[in-house]
Amino acid sequence: MRSPSNSHLHLKSILSLRKSFMASSFTQTDFPQDLDDLLCSDPHTQPQDECSSLTKSNDSTLLLGSPSGYLSGESRIERAWAHWSKLGRPKLIVAPMVDNSELPFRLLCRKYGAEAAYTPMLHSRIFTENEKYRNMEFTTCQEDRPLFVQFCANDPDVLLEAARRVEPYCDYVDLNLGCPQRIARRGNYGAFLMDNLPLVKAIVEKVASNLQVPVSCKIRVFPNLQDTINYARMLEDAGCSLLAVHGRTRDEKDGKKFRANWSAISAVKNALRIPVLANGNIRHMEDVHNCLQETGVEGVLSAETLLENPALFAGFRTAQWTAGCEESSRDGNLDQADLLVDYLKLCEKYPVPWRMIRSHVHKLLGDWFKIHPHIREDFNAQSKLTFEFLYNMVEQLRELQVKIPLYIKDSPASAISSIG
């Protein structure tokens, strides 16, 4: 942990590192970014037995036994399924989101039905080199399981070193092979490793044969279905124990413009012997049910929809997704302001950078701000946020009688019960 006297040095280091490889999911130019990169609370106030950072990550005694590797053949496939079964075969999963799937948000989603979650993408090289980056960007706790820790990487040895640091704290080390952003092109990682499949194979083989924890991968599809199937089979043969498939190509970046290709995901599922997850088009529980039925996968991931509605997996939906439903919906006695308060309380317990909190406020209260833009303008004008200000902002919206409820179907159990 950093000391208060080193906070400014720590801040500049983290800000410089973050800007060197990450494009934030939310860009706001009206406030100084350096203040938003401060932790929202002093980490010294955290109970040490509740929240784990990687301060002691250089201590090899943290690792749980020696690497056992992944043998070829049926034994490796059986081990992949045994591990998935041991975790309870989670079906409802929080996808990795840069700056947005941090510990408090993961715990919020778990409170409302999520059964597993990914961390935000971590940069493997910076993770291995910089302790301050590790402690700022990765925290977890006992309730935060099953957990996928996701890295971007283009060097097998570097990824292995990073993976060994998180191995005691997670259930999968995940390789990001799906990021389609320009920053990934410049850094030669994510979906742009699709242009160098021998390197991808070498990376997966290296980590899979040297870790105790299984290796998972998250990919996008090729325009050609057979190329996608060949890609997935290569990953399985290299030692991948679980594959998440985003049903869009790397050029299809806009999820609202391009529908995910569930047929391609189904084809991958049918071609592989390891567990497969689906990502794309998950907006409410009917989508979850339909995706599981159409693809045959073991579970689904949701990202953008969860940012607006972290209670998605509990059967709640925004008004946008109630129109056209065959069954009527009713007020679920829950709204996004309630969820924001839940999230802020978790942030007080498990501190994160203010930039993450600011982003979630905009995602959760976007529709509310449209009704009262002066509240949004006041929020954006705050160069330094406080919990007192944020709680008061919610109260101010309540006093203005803003009400945008989340809805549930009159018989929500029908769709949810069929998933178990």
Side-chain angles (χ1 to χ4, degrees), residues 64 68-70 74-90 115-117 145-149 166-174 211-216 239-243 273-275 277 298:
L64 307 178
S68 57
Y70 273 68
E74 292 300 323
S75 61
R76 181 174 57 78
I77 303 300
E78 290 171 359
R79 180 177 173 181
W81 279 103
H83 184 74
W84 187 244
S85 296
K86 182 179 179 181
L87 298 179
R89 297 185 175 229
E115 299 169 345
R145 306 293 285 268
L147 179 65
F148 296 71
V149 178
V166 302
E167 188 174 17
Y169 308 105
C170 68
D171 301 286
Y172 288 92
V173 168
D174 187 77
L211 291 180
Q212 181 84 6
V213 69
V215 173
S216 61
C240 175
S241 291
L242 181 145
L243 184 66
R273 297 184 293 164
I274 59 174
L277 306 176
E298 277 59 58

Side-chain angles (χ1 to χ4, degrees), residues 1-39:
M1 294 292 183
R2 75 190 195 282
S3 63
S5 61
N6 291 329
S7 61
H8 292 297
L9 176 62
H10 174 74
L11 168 62
K12 291 179 181 178
S13 174
I14 292 299
L15 181 58
S16 175
L17 288 168
R18 186 173 73 93
K19 287 182 177 178
S20 70
F21 77 93
M22 261 186 198
S24 174
S25 58
F26 172 74
T27 301
Q28 180 70 285
T29 58
D30 295 335
F31 50 87
Q33 191 67 50
D34 58 340
L35 293 176
D36 269 10
D37 274 270
L38 287 169
L39 284 176

Side-chain angles (χ1 to χ4, degrees), residues 123-126 128 152-163 207:
H123 192 290
S124 59
R125 179 184 57 78
I126 300 176
T128 62
C152 66
N154 55 26
D155 183 299
D157 294 324
V158 171
L159 177 58
L160 178 58
E161 183 179 350
V207 291

Side-chain angles (χ1 to χ4, degrees), residues 140-211:
T140 187
C141 64
Q142 292 181 351
E143 296 78 21
D144 190 30
R145 306 293 285 268
L147 179 65
F148 296 71
V149 178
Q150 187 183 79
F151 290 101
C152 66
N154 55 26
D155 183 299
D157 294 324
V158 171
L159 177 58
L160 178 58
E161 183 179 350
R164 282 176 169 164
R165 293 178 182 273
V166 302
E167 188 174 17
Y169 308 105
C170 68
D171 301 286
Y172 288 92
V173 168
D174 187 77
L175 176 60
N176 182 325
L177 297 170
C179 180
Q181 304 302 322
R182 284 177 293 178
I183 193 72
R185 181 192 295 273
R186 292 197 298 268
N188 189 34
Y189 59 79
F192 296 95
L193 290 180
M194 296 167 78
D195 296 331
N196 190 346
L197 297 188
L199 175 58
V200 173
K201 182 179 180 181
I203 293 173
V204 176
E205 286 179 336
K206 181 77 172 187
V207 291
S209 61
N210 286 280
L211 291 180

